Amino acid sequence: MVRTPLTPEERLRGERLGRLLREARGERSMVAVAASAGISAETLRKIETGRAPTPAFFTVAALAGALGLSLDELLGRCGPEGAAASGPARSAESVGSARSAGPVEPAVVPLIA
């Protein structure tokens, strides 16, 4: 499989993410934060330096949790330009409340013979 080259926007987004994670980590060691997130220190190093500009969602979520950042904050600061202006984002609270509202009935689709 051939990987398509990253766009300039994807590279910039990766740099913003790395910068934000470095700032949030502060004086904590890279090894300690990586261990807390359940990833390797080398993976964190690659993300922070921009060599891995498109990390997996669950990696970013684990790092956010280890650093005390919300995913909404990460998206607002690292997402595509204008992401916050494009409309209200669904927060984790609104998603959780939608899940707790009860089961969703499947749609009935009539079959045409």
Side-chain angles (χ1 to χ4, degrees), residues 3-91:
R3 180 177 285 208
T4 58
L6 297 175
T7 65
E9 174 60 31
E10 288 170 325
R11 289 186 199 282
L12 287 173
R13 192 171 50 232
E15 290 171 10
R16 287 191 300 264
L17 175 62
R19 193 169 31 255
L20 175 61
L21 294 176
R22 275 192 310 277
E23 290 171 7
R25 184 167 55 85
E27 296 296 318
R28 290 180 278 182
S29 77
M30 189 176 285
V31 173
V33 171
S36 176
I39 64 171
S40 72
E42 182 59 23
T43 297
L44 179 55
R45 182 176 292 109
K46 286 179 181 179
I47 294 168
E48 284 189 357
T49 60
R51 290 185 316 172
T54 57
F57 171 79
F58 290 107
T59 300
V60 174
L63 283 168
L67 293 168
L69 299 169
S70 74
L71 292 176
D72 288 338
E73 181 181 2
L74 283 177
L75 177 61
R77 293 182 59 187
C78 299
E81 295 301 322
S86 66
R90 291 183 63 185
S91 67

Coordinates of all heavy atoms in Angstrom, one line a residue, residues 3-91:
R3 N 1.4 5.1 0.7 CA 0.8 6.2 1.5 C 0.9 7.5 0.7 O 1.9 7.9 0.2 CB 1.6 6.4 2.8 CG 1.1 7.5 3.7 CD 1.9 7.5 5.0 NE 1.5 6.4 5.8 CZ 1.5 6.4 7.1 NH1 2.0 7.4 7.7 NH2 1.1 5.4 7.8
T4 N -0.3 8.2 0.7 CA -0.3 9.5 0.0 C 0.5 10.5 0.8 O 0.4 10.5 2.1 CB -1.7 10.0 -0.2 OG1 -2.4 10.1 1.0 CG2 -2.5 9.0 -1.1
P5 N 1.1 11.5 0.2 CA 1.9 12.5 0.9 C 0.9 13.4 1.7 O -0.2 13.6 1.3 CB 2.6 13.3 -0.2 CG 2.4 12.5 -1.5 CD 1.3 11.6 -1.3
L6 N 1.4 13.9 2.8 CA 0.6 14.8 3.6 C 0.5 16.1 3.0 O 1.4 16.6 2.3 CB 1.3 14.9 5.0 CG 1.4 13.7 5.8 CD1 2.2 14.0 7.1 CD2 0.0 13.1 6.2
T7 N -0.6 16.8 3.2 CA -0.8 18.1 2.7 C -0.1 19.1 3.6 O 0.2 18.8 4.8 CB -2.3 18.5 2.6 OG1 -2.8 18.5 4.0 CG2 -3.1 17.5 1.8
P8 N 0.2 20.3 3.2 CA 0.8 21.3 4.1 C -0.1 21.5 5.3 O 0.4 21.7 6.4 CB 0.8 22.5 3.2 CG 0.9 22.0 1.8 CD 0.1 20.8 1.8
E9 N -1.4 21.5 5.2 CA -2.3 21.7 6.3 C -2.1 20.6 7.3 O -2.1 20.8 8.5 CB -3.8 21.8 5.9 CG -4.8 21.9 7.0 CD -4.6 23.0 8.0 OE1 -4.1 24.1 7.6 OE2 -4.9 22.9 9.2
E10 N -2.0 19.3 6.9 CA -1.8 18.2 7.8 C -0.5 18.3 8.5 O -0.4 18.0 9.7 CB -1.9 16.9 7.0 CG -3.3 16.5 6.5 CD -3.3 15.3 5.6 OE1 -2.3 15.2 4.7 OE2 -4.2 14.6 5.6
R11 N 0.5 18.8 7.8 CA 1.8 19.0 8.5 C 1.8 20.1 9.6 O 2.3 19.9 10.7 CB 2.9 19.4 7.5 CG 3.3 18.2 6.5 CD 4.5 18.7 5.6 NE 4.6 17.9 4.5 CZ 5.2 16.7 4.5 NH1 5.6 16.2 5.6 NH2 5.3 16.0 3.4
L12 N 1.1 21.2 9.2 CA 0.9 22.2 10.2 C 0.1 21.8 11.4 O 0.4 22.1 12.6 CB 0.3 23.5 9.6 CG 1.1 24.3 8.6 CD1 0.3 25.3 7.9 CD2 2.3 24.9 9.3
R13 N -0.9 21.0 11.2 CA -1.8 20.5 12.2 C -0.9 19.6 13.2 O -1.1 19.7 14.4 CB -3.0 19.8 11.7 CG -4.0 19.5 12.7 CD -5.3 18.9 12.1 NE -5.1 17.8 11.1 CZ -5.6 17.8 9.9 NH1 -6.3 18.8 9.4 NH2 -5.4 16.8 9.1
G14 N -0.1 18.8 12.6 CA 0.8 17.9 13.4 C 1.8 18.7 14.2 O 2.1 18.4 15.4
E15 N 2.3 19.8 13.6 CA 3.2 20.7 14.4 C 2.5 21.4 15.5 O 3.0 21.5 16.6 CB 3.8 21.7 13.4 CG 4.8 21.1 12.4 CD 5.3 22.1 11.4 OE1 5.0 23.4 11.5 OE2 5.9 21.7 10.4
R16 N 1.3 21.8 15.3 CA 0.5 22.4 16.4 C 0.2 21.5 17.5 O 0.3 21.8 18.7 CB -0.8 23.0 15.8 CG -0.7 24.3 15.0 CD -2.0 24.9 14.7 NE -2.9 24.1 14.0 CZ -3.1 24.1 12.6 NH1 -2.4 24.9 11.9 NH2 -4.0 23.3 12.1
L17 N -0.1 20.2 17.1 CA -0.4 19.2 18.1 C 0.9 18.9 18.9 O 0.8 18.9 20.2 CB -0.9 17.9 17.5 CG -1.1 16.7 18.4 CD1 -2.1 17.0 19.4 CD2 -1.4 15.4 17.6
G18 N 2.0 18.8 18.3 CA 3.2 18.5 19.0 C 3.6 19.6 19.9 O 4.0 19.4 21.1
R19 N 3.4 20.9 19.5 CA 3.7 22.0 20.3 C 2.8 22.1 21.5 O 3.3 22.3 22.7 CB 3.6 23.3 19.5 CG 4.1 24.5 20.1 CD 4.2 25.7 19.1 NE 3.2 25.8 18.1 CZ 3.5 25.5 16.8 NH1 4.7 25.1 16.4 NH2 2.5 25.6 15.9
L20 N 1.5 21.8 21.3 CA 0.5 21.8 22.4 C 0.9 20.7 23.5 O 0.9 20.9 24.7 CB -0.9 21.6 21.9 CG -2.0 21.4 23.0 CD1 -2.1 22.7 23.8 CD2 -3.3 21.2 22.3
L21 N 1.2 19.5 23.0 CA 1.6 18.4 23.9 C 2.8 18.7 24.7 O 2.9 18.4 25.9 CB 1.7 17.1 23.1 CG 0.4 16.6 22.5 CD1 0.8 15.3 21.7 CD2 -0.6 16.3 23.5
R22 N 3.8 19.3 24.0 CA 5.1 19.7 24.7 C 4.8 20.7 25.8 O 5.3 20.6 26.9 CB 6.1 20.3 23.8 CG 7.0 19.3 23.1 CD 8.1 19.9 22.4 NE 7.8 21.0 21.5 CZ 7.4 20.9 20.2 NH1 7.2 19.7 19.7 NH2 7.1 22.0 19.5
E23 N 3.9 21.7 25.5 CA 3.6 22.7 26.5 C 2.8 22.1 27.6 O 3.1 22.4 28.8 CB 2.7 23.8 25.8 CG 3.5 24.7 24.8 CD 2.5 25.6 24.1 OE1 1.3 25.7 24.4 OE2 3.0 26.3 23.1
A24 N 1.9 21.2 27.4 CA 1.1 20.6 28.4 C 1.9 19.7 29.3 O 1.7 19.6 30.5 CB -0.1 19.8 27.8
R25 N 2.9 19.1 28.7 CA 3.8 18.2 29.4 C 4.6 18.9 30.4 O 4.9 18.5 31.5 CB 4.7 17.4 28.5 CG 5.6 16.4 29.2 CD 6.2 15.4 28.2 NE 6.9 16.0 27.1 CZ 8.2 16.4 27.2 NH1 8.9 16.2 28.3 NH2 8.9 16.9 26.2
G26 N 5.0 20.1 30.1 CA 5.8 21.0 31.0 C 7.1 20.3 31.4 O 7.9 19.9 30.6
E27 N 7.3 20.3 32.7 CA 8.5 19.7 33.3 C 8.5 18.2 33.5 O 9.5 17.6 33.8 CB 8.8 20.4 34.7 CG 9.1 21.9 34.6 CD 10.3 22.2 33.8 OE1 11.4 21.5 34.0 OE2 10.3 23.1 33.0
R28 N 7.3 17.6 33.2 CA 7.2 16.1 33.4 C 8.1 15.5 32.3 O 8.2 16.0 31.2 CB 5.8 15.7 33.2 CG 4.9 16.1 34.4 CD 3.5 15.6 34.3 NE 2.8 16.6 33.4 CZ 1.6 16.5 33.1 NH1 0.8 15.5 33.6 NH2 1.0 17.4 32.4
S29 N 8.6 14.3 32.6 CA 9.5 13.6 31.7 C 8.6 13.0 30.6 O 7.5 12.6 30.8 CB 10.3 12.6 32.3 OG 9.6 11.4 32.6
M30 N 9.2 12.9 29.4 CA 8.6 12.3 28.3 C 8.2 10.8 28.6 O 7.2 10.3 28.2 CB 9.5 12.4 27.0 CG 8.8 12.0 25.8 SD 9.9 12.2 24.3 CE 9.8 14.0 24.2
V31 N 9.2 10.2 29.3 CA 9.0 8.7 29.6 C 7.8 8.6 30.5 O 6.9 7.7 30.4 CB 10.2 8.2 30.2 CG1 10.0 6.8 30.8 CG2 11.4 8.2 29.2
A32 N 7.6 9.5 31.5 CA 6.5 9.4 32.5 C 5.2 9.6 31.8 O 4.2 8.9 32.1 CB 6.7 10.4 33.6
V33 N 5.1 10.6 31.0 CA 3.9 10.9 30.3 C 3.5 9.8 29.3 O 2.3 9.4 29.3 CB 3.9 12.3 29.6 CG1 2.7 12.5 28.7 CG2 4.1 13.4 30.6
A34 N 4.5 9.3 28.6 CA 4.2 8.2 27.6 C 3.7 7.0 28.4 O 2.7 6.4 27.9 CB 5.5 7.9 26.8
A35 N 4.3 6.7 29.5 CA 3.9 5.5 30.3 C 2.5 5.7 30.8 O 1.7 4.8 30.8 CB 4.9 5.2 31.4
S36 N 2.2 6.9 31.2 CA 0.8 7.2 31.7 C -0.2 7.0 30.6 O -1.3 6.6 30.9 CB 0.8 8.6 32.3 OG -0.5 8.9 32.7
A37 N 0.2 7.4 29.4 CA -0.7 7.2 28.3 C -0.7 5.9 27.7 O -1.6 5.6 26.8 CB -0.4 8.3 27.2
G38 N 0.2 5.0 28.1 CA 0.2 3.6 27.5 C 0.9 3.6 26.1 O 0.6 2.7 25.4
I39 N 1.8 4.5 25.8 CA 2.5 4.5 24.6 C 4.0 4.5 24.8 O 4.4 4.8 26.0 CB 2.1 5.7 23.7 CG1 2.5 7.0 24.3 CG2 0.6 5.6 23.3 CD1 2.3 8.2 23.4
S40 N 4.8 4.3 23.8 CA 6.2 4.4 24.0 C 6.7 5.8 24.0 O 6.1 6.7 23.4 CB 6.9 3.6 22.9 OG 6.8 4.3 21.7
A41 N 7.8 6.1 24.7 CA 8.4 7.4 24.7 C 8.8 7.8 23.3 O 8.7 9.0 22.9 CB 9.6 7.4 25.6
E42 N 9.2 6.8 22.4 CA 9.6 7.2 21.1 C 8.4 7.7 20.3 O 8.5 8.6 19.4 CB 10.2 6.0 20.4 CG 10.7 6.2 18.9 CD 11.7 7.3 18.8 OE1 12.4 7.7 19.8 OE2 11.8 7.9 17.7
T43 N 7.2 7.1 20.5 CA 6.0 7.5 19.8 C 5.7 8.9 20.2 O 5.4 9.8 19.4 CB 4.8 6.6 20.1 OG1 5.1 5.3 19.6 CG2 3.5 7.1 19.5
L44 N 5.7 9.2 21.5 CA 5.5 10.6 22.0 C 6.5 11.6 21.4 O 6.2 12.7 21.0 CB 5.5 10.6 23.5 CG 5.3 12.0 24.2 CD1 4.0 12.7 23.7 CD2 5.3 11.9 25.7
R45 N 7.8 11.1 21.4 CA 8.8 12.0 20.8 C 8.5 12.3 19.3 O 8.6 13.5 18.9 CB 10.2 11.3 20.9 CG 11.3 12.1 20.3 CD 12.7 11.4 20.5 NE 13.0 11.3 22.0 CZ 13.0 10.2 22.7 NH1 12.7 9.1 22.2 NH2 13.3 10.3 24.0
K46 N 8.1 11.3 18.6 CA 7.7 11.5 17.2 C 6.6 12.5 17.0 O 6.5 13.4 16.1 CB 7.4 10.2 16.5 CG 8.6 9.4 16.2 CD 8.2 8.1 15.5 CE 9.4 7.2 15.3 NZ 9.1 5.9 14.7
I47 N 5.6 12.4 17.9 CA 4.4 13.2 17.8 C 4.8 14.7 18.2 O 4.4 15.6 17.5 CB 3.2 12.7 18.7 CG1 2.7 11.4 18.2 CG2 2.1 13.8 18.8 CD1 1.8 10.7 19.1
E48 N 5.5 14.8 19.2 CA 5.9 16.1 19.7 C 6.8 16.9 18.7 O 6.8 18.1 18.6 CB 6.7 16.1 21.0 CG 5.7 15.8 22.2 CD 6.5 16.0 23.5 OE1 7.7 16.2 23.6 OE2 5.8 15.9 24.6
T49 N 7.6 16.1 18.0 CA 8.5 16.8 17.0 C 7.9 16.9 15.6 O 8.6 17.5 14.7 CB 9.9 16.0 16.9 OG1 9.6 14.6 16.4 CG2 10.6 16.0 18.2
G50 N 6.7 16.4 15.4 CA 6.1 16.5 14.1 C 6.5 15.4 13.1 O 6.0 15.4 12.0
R51 N 7.3 14.4 13.5 CA 7.6 13.4 12.6 C 6.5 12.4 12.5 O 6.5 11.5 11.5 CB 8.9 12.6 13.1 CG 10.1 13.5 13.0 CD 11.3 12.7 13.4 NE 11.1 11.9 14.6 CZ 11.9 11.0 15.1 NH1 13.0 10.8 14.5 NH2 11.6 10.4 16.2
A52 N 5.5 12.4 13.4 CA 4.3 11.6 13.2 C 3.1 12.6 13.3 O 2.4 12.7 14.3 CB 4.2 10.6 14.3
P53 N 2.9 13.3 12.2 CA 1.9 14.4 12.3 C 0.4 13.9 12.3 O -0.5 14.7 12.5 CB 2.2 15.2 11.0 CG 2.8 14.2 10.1 CD 3.5 13.3 10.9
T54 N 0.2 12.6 12.0 CA -1.2 12.1 12.0 C -1.3 10.9 12.9 O -1.6 9.8 12.4 CB -1.7 11.8 10.6 OG1 -0.8 10.9 10.0 CG2 -1.8 13.1 9.7
P55 N -1.2 11.1 14.2 CA -1.2 9.9 15.1 C -2.7 9.4 15.2 O -3.6 10.1 14.9 CB -0.8 10.5 16.5 CG -1.1 11.9 16.4 CD -0.9 12.3 14.9
A56 N -2.8 8.2 15.6 CA -4.1 7.5 15.7 C -4.9 8.2 16.8 O -4.4 8.8 17.8 CB -3.9 6.0 16.1
F57 N -6.2 8.2 16.6 CA -7.2 8.9 17.5 C -7.0 8.4 18.9 O -6.9 9.2 19.8 CB -8.6 8.7 17.1 CG -9.6 9.1 18.1 CD1 -9.9 10.5 18.2 CD2 -10.2 8.3 19.0 CE1 -10.8 10.9 19.1 CE2 -11.1 8.7 19.9 CZ -11.4 10.1 20.0
F58 N -6.9 7.1 19.1 CA -6.8 6.6 20.5 C -5.5 7.0 21.2 O -5.4 7.1 22.4 CB -7.0 5.1 20.5 CG -8.5 4.8 20.2 CD1 -8.8 4.2 19.0 CD2 -9.5 5.1 21.2 CE1 -10.2 3.9 18.7 CE2 -10.8 4.8 20.9 CZ -11.2 4.2 19.7
T59 N -4.4 7.2 20.4 CA -3.2 7.7 20.9 C -3.3 9.1 21.4 O -2.9 9.4 22.5 CB -2.1 7.6 19.8 OG1 -1.9 6.2 19.4 CG2 -0.7 8.1 20.3
V60 N -4.0 9.9 20.6 CA -4.2 11.3 21.0 C -5.1 11.4 22.2 O -4.8 12.2 23.1 CB -4.8 12.1 19.8 CG1 -5.1 13.5 20.2 CG2 -3.8 12.1 18.6
A61 N -6.1 10.6 22.2 CA -7.0 10.6 23.4 C -6.3 10.1 24.6 O -6.5 10.7 25.7 CB -8.2 9.6 23.1
A62 N -5.5 9.1 24.5 CA -4.7 8.7 25.7 C -3.8 9.8 26.2 O -3.6 10.0 27.4 CB -3.9 7.4 25.4
L63 N -3.1 10.5 25.3 CA -2.2 11.5 25.7 C -3.0 12.7 26.3 O -2.5 13.3 27.3 CB -1.4 12.0 24.4 CG -0.3 11.1 24.0 CD1 0.3 11.5 22.6 CD2 0.8 11.2 25.1
A64 N -4.1 13.0 25.7 CA -4.9 14.1 26.3 C -5.3 13.7 27.7 O -5.2 14.6 28.6 CB -6.2 14.3 25.4
G65 N -5.7 12.5 28.0 CA -6.1 12.1 29.3 C -4.9 12.2 30.3 O -5.0 12.6 31.4
A66 N -3.7 11.7 29.8 CA -2.5 11.7 30.7 C -2.1 13.2 31.0 O -1.5 13.4 32.0 CB -1.4 11.0 30.0
L67 N -2.4 14.1 30.1 CA -2.0 15.5 30.3 C -3.1 16.4 30.8 O -2.9 17.6 31.0 CB -1.4 16.0 28.9 CG -0.2 15.4 28.4 CD1 0.1 15.8 27.0 CD2 1.0 15.7 29.3
G68 N -4.3 15.8 31.0 CA -5.4 16.6 31.6 C -5.9 17.6 30.6 O -6.5 18.6 30.9
L69 N -5.9 17.3 29.3 CA -6.5 18.1 28.2 C -7.8 17.5 27.8 O -7.9 16.2 27.7 CB -5.5 18.2 27.0 CG -4.1 18.8 27.3 CD1 -3.2 18.6 26.1 CD2 -4.3 20.3 27.6
S70 N -8.7 18.3 27.4 CA -9.9 17.7 26.8 C -9.7 17.6 25.3 O -8.9 18.3 24.7 CB -11.1 18.7 27.0 OG -11.0 19.8 26.3
L71 N -10.5 16.7 24.7 CA -10.4 16.5 23.2 C -10.9 17.8 22.5 O -10.5 18.1 21.4 CB -11.1 15.3 22.8 CG -10.4 14.0 23.2 CD1 -11.3 12.8 22.8 CD2 -9.0 13.8 22.7
D72 N -11.9 18.4 23.1 CA -12.5 19.6 22.5 C -11.4 20.7 22.4 O -11.3 21.4 21.5 CB -13.6 20.2 23.4 CG -14.9 19.3 23.2 OD1 -15.0 18.6 22.2 OD2 -15.8 19.4 24.1
E73 N -10.6 20.8 23.5 CA -9.5 21.8 23.5 C -8.5 21.5 22.4 O -8.0 22.3 21.7 CB -8.8 21.8 24.9 CG -7.7 22.8 25.0 CD -7.0 22.8 26.3 OE1 -7.4 22.1 27.2 OE2 -6.1 23.7 26.5
L74 N -8.1 20.2 22.3 CA -7.2 19.8 21.3 C -7.7 20.1 19.9 O -6.9 20.6 19.1 CB -6.9 18.3 21.4 CG -5.9 17.8 22.5 CD1 -5.8 16.3 22.4 CD2 -4.6 18.4 22.3
L75 N -8.9 19.8 19.7 CA -9.5 20.1 18.4 C -9.5 21.6 18.1 O -9.1 22.1 17.0 CB -10.9 19.6 18.2 CG -11.6 19.9 16.9 CD1 -10.9 19.3 15.7 CD2 -13.1 19.4 17.0
G76 N -9.9 22.4 19.1 CA -9.9 23.8 18.9 C -8.6 24.4 18.7 O -8.5 25.4 17.9
R77 N -7.5 23.9 19.2 CA -6.2 24.5 19.1 C -5.4 23.8 18.0 O -4.4 24.4 17.5 CB -5.4 24.4 20.4 CG -6.1 25.3 21.5 CD -5.3 25.3 22.7 NE -3.9 25.7 22.6 CZ -3.1 25.6 23.6 NH1 -3.5 25.2 24.8 NH2 -1.8 26.0 23.5
C78 N -5.7 22.6 17.6 CA -4.9 21.9 16.6 C -5.7 21.5 15.3 O -5.1 21.1 14.3 CB -4.4 20.6 17.2 SG -3.3 20.9 18.6
G79 N -7.0 21.6 15.3 CA -7.8 21.2 14.2 C -7.7 22.1 13.0 O -6.9 23.1 13.0
P80 N -8.4 21.9 11.9 CA -8.3 22.7 10.8 C -8.7 24.1 11.1 O -9.5 24.4 12.0 CB -9.4 22.1 9.8 CG -9.7 20.8 10.4 CD -9.3 20.8 11.8
E81 N -8.1 25.1 10.4 CA -8.5 26.5 10.7 C -10.0 26.7 10.5 O -10.6 26.2 9.6 CB -7.7 27.4 9.7 CG -6.2 27.3 9.8 CD -5.7 27.7 11.2 OE1 -6.3 28.7 11.8 OE2 -4.8 27.1 11.7
G82 N -10.5 27.4 11.4 CA -12.0 27.7 11.4 C -12.9 26.5 11.9 O -14.1 26.6 11.7
A83 N -12.3 25.5 12.5 CA -13.1 24.4 13.0 C -14.1 24.9 14.0 O -15.2 24.4 14.0 CB -12.2 23.3 13.6
A84 N -13.6 25.8 14.9 CA -14.5 26.3 15.9 C -15.6 27.2 15.3 O -16.7 27.2 15.8 CB -13.7 27.0 17.0
A85 N -15.3 27.8 14.2 CA -16.3 28.8 13.6 C -17.3 28.1 12.7 O -18.3 28.6 12.3 CB -15.5 29.8 12.8
S86 N -17.0 26.8 12.4 CA -17.9 26.1 11.5 C -19.2 25.6 12.1 O -20.1 25.1 11.4 CB -17.2 24.9 10.8 OG -16.9 23.9 11.8
G87 N -19.3 25.7 13.4 CA -20.5 25.3 14.1 C -20.2 24.7 15.4 O -19.1 24.5 15.7
P88 N -21.2 24.5 16.2 CA -21.0 24.0 17.6 C -20.5 22.5 17.5 O -21.0 21.7 16.8 CB -22.3 24.1 18.3 CG -23.3 24.1 17.1 CD -22.6 24.7 16.0
A89 N -19.5 22.2 18.3 CA -18.9 20.9 18.3 C -19.7 20.1 19.4 O -20.2 20.7 20.4 CB -17.5 20.9 18.7
R90 N -19.9 18.9 19.2 CA -20.5 18.1 20.3 C -19.5 17.7 21.3 O -18.5 17.1 21.0 CB -21.1 16.8 19.7 CG -22.3 17.1 18.8 CD -22.9 15.8 18.2 NE -23.4 15.0 19.3 CZ -23.9 13.8 19.2 NH1 -23.9 13.3 18.0 NH2 -24.3 13.1 20.2
S91 N -19.7 18.1 22.5 CA -18.8 17.8 23.6 C -19.0 16.4 24.1 O -20.0 15.8 23.7 CB -19.1 18.8 24.8 OG -20.3 18.5 25.3

